[in-house]
Amino acid sequence: MLERMQDDYIPYPRIEDVLEKGGPYPQVILPQFGGYWIEDAEAPVGTPTSSDSSFCEEDDWEGMSPGGGFGYRLECNSMARAYRKHFLGREHMNYYCTGSSVGNLIMSLKHEEAEAQEFLRIILRSKTKTLHDRISLSGLTQLPSVPQIAKLFCEDATGLKFNPVLYPRGSQLIVSYDEHEVNNTFKFGVIYQKFGQTSEEELFGNNEETPAFAEFLSILGDTIELQDFKGFRGGLDVSHGQTGTQSVYTTFRQREIMFHVSTKLPFTEGDVQQLQRKRHIGNDIVAAVFQEEATPFVPDMIASNFLHAYVLVQADQPCTEHTTYKVSVTAREDVPAFGPPLPNPAVFKKGPEFRDFLLTKLINAENACYKSDKFAKLEGRTRAALLDNLHDELHRQTQATLGLGAAGDEDKLENGGHGGLLESFKEVWSCVVSIPLSSTGGAMLICAISTTVYYYCYSQAL
């Protein structure tokens, strides 16, 4: 691999070479051997384009929080919210299929009428994806059977034997499964870069919060005392002061955000790597990099398996009435495009619109990063485990409702036992399904499952 790079690849300039040539400096440069993209403010759509990304603008039914009137839209996986929007609390039927050729399946079916026409709204969940569609019943004298409907979605599937879900609380289990990807809490790194800094040791070694940096932090959120803090803490210690005494926190469109600010995390004398700081920021997925002066940043400057996207913010005339911020965006090459797109020129005046753009961009960046190869593989394993758990629980509860007893460990379903890590998911799921999704505890516990497994798989690489 190295030989191929040396023989066939012309590397990008090193950051040291860029600095040596003198200004004007680009805000961000690509690593020598690529692996990242930089958003082009002159392009009509973010760079690169992604035609198969499942992220879309939030539906209007969710509404916008006050102050969100600048047209910057949060992006989400609308499929995760489809059951709550179209089925929950309305007359519909749920079915489960055991041991088809494509694994266990869960289907939701609802009859609708609109403009004197009849439709069937369908959600079909498999181990690999969830499909949502509405089909017209025009011209049909008889409703299609559940296996026939499943065939419309999975043509190659065989062994489609469905049973109705007869458990009164089945809808709550299903909506909890569908929304296991929904996240209303975020943590982002915030890094201060001085002119000419080219290594993570230099970045994490910065202790000074200049007036310009403090002004930028005030745009992001409020400085809070960590001791006994009751909101989302983003992994920071709120009891013993082991992660510093203060941090920056905000709420934005019904979401909580905790910022891991490099200069507010503990500084350890004699530790060149500043592992206390890297432990948090290096395990974030998205980070904002503040530049008080024009200086280049290269995204592989920080060694991390987690950081996938950076939003660069460069101040001009800070702490004045004329303060502006130049913004650049870079992400790993397998991260799909995310909005809102950068304006041309990508310069914002200090004020609420810049804050709205920046927080929207950070949240959308994290959602897009979950579609990168590394996170998508984790989500695939999580999804398969949770779907089998949902299937087994719906079957068990349906049998119990009918008075036929509950399946014990000795009577596991054909596709119900996986062993190892996935069995651990089932043990956790049995607790999760009893917690309402609308509660903070339920949502955080489900998110913690994915985070815990990801840390287990990759912690040795840091």
Side-chain angles (χ1 to χ4, degrees), residues 176-415:
S176 294
Y177 167 81
D178 280 356
E179 296 183 356
H180 75 269
E181 292 183 50
V182 175
N183 182 23
N184 290 320
T185 57
F186 295 85
K187 57 186 183 72
F188 301 119
V190 182
I191 302 165
Y192 178 60
Q193 182 187 17
K194 294 180 180 180
F195 174 78
Q197 291 186 329
T198 61
S199 68
E200 68 174 43
E201 289 80 10
E202 291 175 318
L203 297 178
F204 290 137
N206 292 328
N207 272 331
E208 180 186 7
E209 286 188 7
T210 65
F213 188 39
E215 181 182 44
F216 173 67
L217 294 179
S218 70
I219 294 174
L220 293 178
D222 301 318
T223 298
I224 54 97
E225 297 294 328
L226 286 174
Q227 186 66 36
D228 299 325
F229 181 68
K230 302 303 181 185
F232 173 65
R233 61 189 183 91
L236 299 179
D237 179 20
V238 297
S239 299
H240 308 291
Q242 295 182 357
T243 56
T245 60
Q246 294 182 330
S247 192
V248 176
Y249 166 89
T250 193
T251 57
F252 179 70
R253 300 188 192 177
Q254 293 79 50
R255 290 153 175 83
E256 292 184 273
I257 303 174
M258 179 63 80
F259 294 95
H260 293 154
V261 183
S262 60
T263 54
K264 292 186 182 297
L265 291 168
F267 178 83
T268 305
E269 292 288 349
D271 182 4
V272 177
Q273 292 183 295
Q274 293 301 321
L275 293 178
Q276 282 281 1
R277 293 177 170 182
K278 183 176 180 180
R279 182 167 70 91
H280 291 282
I281 296 176
N283 287 327
D284 291 329
I285 298 171
V286 180
V289 179
F290 179 78
Q291 302 167 321
E292 195 164 344
E293 300 179 62
T295 191
F297 175 85
V298 59
D300 68 350
M301 191 181 296
I302 300 174
S304 170
N305 283 308
F306 295 87
L307 282 169
H308 275 55
Y310 296 91
V311 178
L312 291 300
V313 178
Q314 190 177 107
D316 184 45
Q317 301 185 63
C319 303
T320 70
E321 295 180 356
H322 308 289
T323 302
T324 59
Y325 295 99
K326 180 182 177 183
V327 178
S328 293
V329 176
T330 183
R332 299 197 189 201
E333 59 186 0
D334 58 350
V335 174
F338 51 89
L342 291 174
N344 186 21
V347 177
F348 296 84
K349 292 181 179 179
K350 178 179 65 178
E353 181 177 0
F354 172 58
R355 180 179 189 271
D356 197 88
F357 174 89
L358 184 58
L359 296 181
T360 303
K361 193 72 169 178
L362 289 169
I363 291 174
N364 290 347
E366 179 162 318
N367 286 335
C369 288
Y370 288 134
K371 293 302 177 185
S372 66
D373 294 343
K374 188 171 293 185
F375 288 107
K377 289 176 182 177
L378 168 66
E379 167 56 24
R381 293 193 295 269
T382 303
R383 175 188 180 85
L386 294 181
L387 183 76
D388 282 341
N389 269 300
L390 174 61
H391 169 275
D392 292 0
E393 185 68 9
L394 292 175
H395 173 77
R396 187 180 70 84
Q397 296 290 357
T398 293
Q399 294 295 98
T401 299
L402 295 173
L404 300 178
D409 292 340
E410 69 283 357
D411 185 28
K412 288 191 175 181
L413 294 168
E414 180 180 351
N415 291 321

Side-chain angles (χ1 to χ4, degrees), residues 23-42:
Y25 301 107
Q27 197 169 7
V28 60
I29 63 174
L30 292 174
Q32 274 195 286
F33 295 102
Y36 287 78
W37 54 264
I38 299 174
E39 183 172 345
D40 183 0
E42 297 183 358

Side-chain angles (χ1 to χ4, degrees), residues 91-105:
E91 184 178 357
H92 69 281
M93 297 193 71
N94 297 309
Y95 301 88
Y96 63 92
C97 173
T98 302
S100 75
S101 61
V102 292
N104 295 328
L105 301 172

